[in-house]
Amino acid sequence: MLTILGFTMIATFLVLIMMKKMSPIAALVLIPALFCVFVGKGAHLGDYVIEGVGNLAPTAAMLMFAIVYFGVMIDVGLFDPIVRGILRFCRADPLRIVVGTALLAAIVSLDGDGSTTFMITVSAMYPLYKRLGMSLVVMTGVAATANGVMNTLPWGGPTARAATALKLDAGDIFVPMIPALAVGLVLVVALAYVLGRRERKRLGVLDLDDVLAGGGSRSGTPATGAVLVGAGAGVPGGTGRTPTAPGGAGADAPAVDTIETNDARGAGGSGGGGTTDRDTAGGGAGGSGAEPTGGAGETGGAREATDAEGDVRLQGLDPDRPTLRPRLYWFNALLTVVLLTAMITELLPIPVLFLLAAALALTVNFPHIPDQKDRLAAHADNVLNVSGMVFAAAVFTGVLQGTGMVDSMAKWLVDGIPEGMGPHMAVVTGVLSLPLTYFMSNDGFYFGVLPVLAEAGAAHGVPPLEIARASLVGQPLHMSSPLVPAVYVLVGMAGVEFGDHTRFVVKWAALTSLTVLAAGILFGII
């Protein structure tokens, strides 16, 4: 019964958030509370929640101060050269930008912390996606999958857990897996290339100077794809309407390539100026005299100016914003390097490091109290959304673990393995790592399930090292699990609905995981 209720609870949660019937925070709290009552342990709900909150409180504190720290770094211009360098390298080409997102996320993932990776990646790439009108779920999906492959680093968590649980050396687990993980990373880059081509086909290629200025003179192939937009948004002139030649009117075009996103987005033809202003924040980009269906009738330029003022994430390309501190650039760069180095070397607990770094960054860059309050207020939404999501997730995980659902689900899956699969337990472990690390925390899987799988494999002569290596292949999918706090940083900072991100990324992340598993088998690693 616990097994059935556990799977039903998770399925109910996923269906409701993907259909947007409930917000993630409400679903993470109300659904497990309801199922806790169904299990007959409603009287213990408070204990489960307090235990879950206690376990995730350090993570929530780390995320709160990390958002403040990186928010201040964005404000003062630390990432401006990175953003501009990427944009110049990519030449405002959506294909290159999506591939650049994958590479940036993979490189930054070397620090071993998913939250930091997503903060830096979104901070650098968000303004580019918004200025060009690109799909933000592409950014979050590619970044999460790339980070999932790199999350297998010995200092990233899963490898260390597997080594601890099976009393093995982390290097012996990870080093032989490098070729298979490299194949997975190549697949992520290839996926980014395909998605980038789709975005290029939909949007064309914009001129660099106009993108930096917030506009977008169009060159190359015009968009031919349709975009699924949110409620209240529309496309000027009708569904599927896309710009044609510069200076021409919009023309109806068939929907060739569809990319789903939570952003309300549209494209409008320019009335004769040869440019197309794109906007992705709330209605559509219009040419002269064009109005979004059901919208307020603003032109694209006026709406983009409004967005730039109201969305601090878009100000990363504004060279005149008052928060810039060019004289303190090298101090901020050094502070960030020291922070990341201290995280990797585990000099202090990560929440303490971010707390100290955020306080120092605020004090040095904004010595006046009113300015500090303004910066804190500017990033309060992100802090509240992410920390609130983490504490809500604590209810979900607390009920799953406290009621015994997660243990029952794991035992059911392990017991369901046919006897004839014993000699292939490494492959079985790799396949099971996908759903189990998605529906369970890494601690639950590596300390609760992996030893059982290793014991079953040992009975059939399968070395524990192979079992441990196979257990890593599910990490690309794990990084988009609703039980991973870092994913809420990613979708929160990008302004993407968690359900939209889940719908988009699950298939690609699962494909990446299975590719790593296949490569491991092919190379004789697993």
Side-chain angles (χ1 to χ4, degrees), residues 248-271:
D252 288 333
V256 176
D257 216 354
T258 301
I259 295 179
E260 186 168 355
T261 176
N262 68 308
D263 289 338
R265 180 179 290 122
S270 174

Side-chain angles (χ1 to χ4, degrees), residues 83 86 97 100-101 104 120-129 139:
V83 173
I86 291 173
I97 288 174
T101 301
L104 178 62
I120 294 176
T121 302
V122 174
S123 298
M125 304 305 294
Y126 179 89
L128 312 186
Y129 279 77
M139 177 181 69

Side-chain angles (χ1 to χ4, degrees), residues 390 483 489 498:
V390 172
L483 303 181
V489 176
F498 183 80

